[in-house]
Structure formats: structure tokens, C-alpha cells
């Protein structure tokens, strides 16, 4: 069974009298442990697509299954619980807490989502810090880290709850070329190591080459 199954999904945004078809009749499936990118110019529907798969928004029509569960019909509360169980997120602007160290940023979802006791947390966090190559930086605050290092911490934070799926909307948009490629390769290594499926978007041609499967969006349609 595919990890993500998208059937006849359309998303129409309505602003006043104007309707924008951000996605039009998308059919797609994404397998477990795959490394998938959505590419296309600005406005082509990448963010809308990732928000649908990440259970952050609802399609106007169509059906979305993630990990065997139909998610488009879930209410807000159930959707939030499902996200906490199954999905990790990496953001374009890192979204680390500035007052927390790298270690504490990674610890946060274990406390807030997983309710793990302190004893159990430490081993998990040190392990994931080591996996992303940030163990020696664990006590640094975000503004003591480079952009690439911050995104490594964010990758660790996304993985620490052991999600089946990690979503990353333009995760390299605020990084220079070298850091961008390094972060994407780190994500791919984490896919290999933990079997996590990664879905990311980009409009950067240098990053696209790193994906195993690329879906191109043009005006809300798959090309
Ligand atoms: P991308 O991420 O590829 O730049 P988006 O998914 O953000 O594309 O946007 C796709 C289309 O949907 C664009 O035309 C955009 O203007 C429109 N759109 C996105 N979000 C909204 C919204 N909340 N309200 C109205 N229109 C939106
Ligand atoms: Mg976008």
C-alpha cells in the first residue's frame, strides 16, 4: 500500500468573487521510504500540494489517504493528532525557538507531542543529534549556528518523534548553494537510515537533481 494516495484532488481558493484553482484534479501515489520532490515555478501549487499531504489544509474535492487513513474528512482536532503521530515538518525559515538550545529544540516535540519522560528523552535526542552531525553543537542557541546547521537541527527535530513522513516546503530557500545541497543530502541519508519518507518542494534546479522522484506542477496540474 502506498504511504500517500491522492485521488482526484482539486483545491480552489476563493477571494471575493475571484476563484483560483491552486490544484486541479491531481492523482498521485507516493510509496513508503521514498524521496520525492515537487517542483515548479512560484504560484504553481507546491505549497498547496504539501499542505494537503501534510494534513494542514483540506481539498475542495477529492480524497487523500496517508498511511492508510482518509485524512481529508478528519476534523481539526483529529487531524492535529494524526499529524503528531505520523508527520514531521521542516520549514523554510527553520522555525527554531531562539531561547532554546539545539538539544532543547529537538526535545520540544517529545515533551509536547509524545509526552515522553525525561529519562527516555535523552538517549533518543543524543542519537538523532549524532545522526544529523550536530552532537558537538547541542548546547548552542540557534543564533550561534549557521543556516545550514539550523536546518540540520530542524531535520533532527522533525525526525525525533519517528514519523513515517517528513514534509519540507522549500527547506533550502534560505540557504546558500552548498548548504542547500548538504541539507537535501542529509535528508536523503536520513531516509536511508530510518526509512522515513521525505516530501519536499523546491524551485531550485540544483536541488531537484537530488530527488529520487520528481513531480512537476504547472498551474496546479501535474506535468
Ligand atoms: P507555490 O507554493 O508553488 O508558489 P501556492 O500553492 O502557494 O504555490 O499557490 C498556488 C496558487 O494558489 C497561487 O495562484 C496562489 O496565489 C494561490 N493561493 C495560495 N494560497 C492561497 C490563499 N490562501 N488564498 C487565495 N489564493 C491562494
Ligand atoms: Mg510555496
Amino acid at each position: 500500500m502506498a504511504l500517500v494516495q491522492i485521488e482526484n484532488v482539486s483545491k480552489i481558493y476563493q477571494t471575493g468573487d475571484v476563484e483560483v484553482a491552486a490544484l486541479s484534479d491531481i492523482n498521485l501515489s507516493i510509496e513508503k521510504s521514498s524521496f520525492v520532490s515537487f517542483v515548479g515555478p512560484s504560484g504553481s501549487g507546491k505549497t498547496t500540494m504539501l499542505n494537503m499531504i501534510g494534513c494542514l489544509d483540506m481539498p475542495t474535492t477529492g480524497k487523500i489517504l496517508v498511511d492508510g487513513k482518509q485524512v481529508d474528512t478528519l476534523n481539526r482536532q483529529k487531524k492535529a493528532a494524526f499529524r503528531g503521530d505520523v508527520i514531521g515538518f521542516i520549514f523554510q525559515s527553520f522555525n527554531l525557538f531562539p531561547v532554546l538550545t539545539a538539544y532543547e529544540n529537538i526535545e520540544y516535540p517529545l515533551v509536547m507531542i509524545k509526552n515522553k519522560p525525561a529519562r527516555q528523552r535523552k538517549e533518543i535526542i543524543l542519537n538523532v543529534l549524532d545522526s544529523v552531525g550536530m552532537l558537538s553543537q547541542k548546547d548552542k542557541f540557534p543564533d550561534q549556528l549557521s543556516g545550514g546547521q539550523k536546518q540540520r537541527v530542524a531535520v533532527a527535530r522533525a525526525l525525533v518523534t519517528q514519523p513515517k513522513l517528513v514534509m519540507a516546503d522549500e527547506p533550502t530557500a534560505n540557504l546558500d548553494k552548498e548548504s542547500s545541497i548538504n541539507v537535501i543530502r542529509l535528508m536523503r541519508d536520513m531516509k536511508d537510515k530510518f526509512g522515513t519518507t521525505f516530501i519536499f518542494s523546491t524551485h531550485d534546479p540544483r536541488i531537484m537533481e537530488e530527488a529520487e522522484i520528481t513531480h512537476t506542477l504547472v498551474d496546479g496540474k501535474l506535468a
Side-chain angles (χ1 to χ4, degrees):
M1 189 185 57
L3 182 66
V4 177
Q5 187 80 39
I6 294 170
E7 296 172 14
N8 306 110
V9 162
S10 296
K11 177 71 179 182
I12 303 189
Y13 288 112
Q14 181 121 29
T15 0
D17 290 343
V18 185
E19 284 192 348
V20 178
L23 294 175
S24 303
D25 200 26
I26 305 282
N27 286 283
L28 181 71
S29 65
I30 294 172
E31 297 304 316
K32 279 194 181 110
S33 302
S34 51
F35 197 67
V36 178
S37 72
F38 284 92
V39 305
S42 181
S44 59
K46 302 182 297 297
T47 295
T48 307
M49 188 79 215
L50 266 67
N51 286 349
M52 298 291 143
I53 300 171
C55 306
L56 294 167
D57 202 353
M58 300 244 216
T60 309
T61 56
K63 186 170 163 184
I64 302 175
L65 289 111
V66 179
D67 195 27
K69 191 174 184 100
Q70 189 172 352
V71 293
D72 56 273
T73 50
L74 297 178
N75 66 28
R76 277 179 74 89
Q77 209 176 351
K78 288 201 168 129
K79 231 189 252 176
F82 181 80
R83 283 197 303 268
D85 268 347
V86 178
I87 309 176
F89 292 89
I90 297 167
F91 303 94
Q92 179 176 326
S93 45
F94 321 123
N95 293 14
L96 300 176
F97 291 107
V99 295
L100 301 181
T101 63
Y103 181 99
E104 290 163 344
N105 267 283
I106 297 166
E107 184 174 42
Y108 190 82
L110 286 183
V111 180
M112 298 308 288
I113 302 173
K114 296 290 176 183
N115 220 346
K116 285 243 188 241
R119 275 178 289 111
Q120 291 174 24
R121 291 199 297 264
K122 190 169 177 190
E123 190 186 338
I124 302 171
I125 297 162
L126 293 179
N127 188 32
V128 75
L129 269 163
D130 191 30
S131 296
V132 301
M134 288 295 289
L135 195 52
S136 62
Q137 313 289 317
K138 71 180 173 54
D139 297 320
K140 294 232 170 107
F141 290 92
D143 62 11
Q144 297 173 303
L145 301 172
S146 69
Q149 288 175 321
K150 279 185 229 182
Q151 204 58 310
R152 282 176 178 268
V153 172
V155 170
R157 178 182 57 183
L159 287 169
V160 76
T161 55
Q162 299 179 287
K164 290 191 178 155
L165 174 61
V166 170
M167 306 296 305
D169 191 7
E170 307 231 20
T172 64
N174 287 320
L175 300 177
D176 60 44
K177 182 189 172 187
E178 196 190 337
S179 308
S180 296
I181 290 172
N182 285 339
V183 162
I184 295 294
R185 289 187 180 157
L186 170 70
M187 285 167 37
R188 206 172 51 200
D189 289 346
M190 297 299 99
K191 190 267 311 184
D192 290 336
K193 181 166 182 179
F194 298 114
T196 317
T197 300
F198 280 80
I199 301 176
F200 66 99
S201 69
T202 183
H203 58 252
D204 183 344
R206 296 165 310 201
I207 301 307
M208 291 172 200
E209 296 167 6
E210 303 290 329
E212 289 168 353
I213 298 165
T214 300
H215 297 293
T216 304
L217 283 164
V218 180
D219 292 335
K221 298 185 184 75
L222 284 176

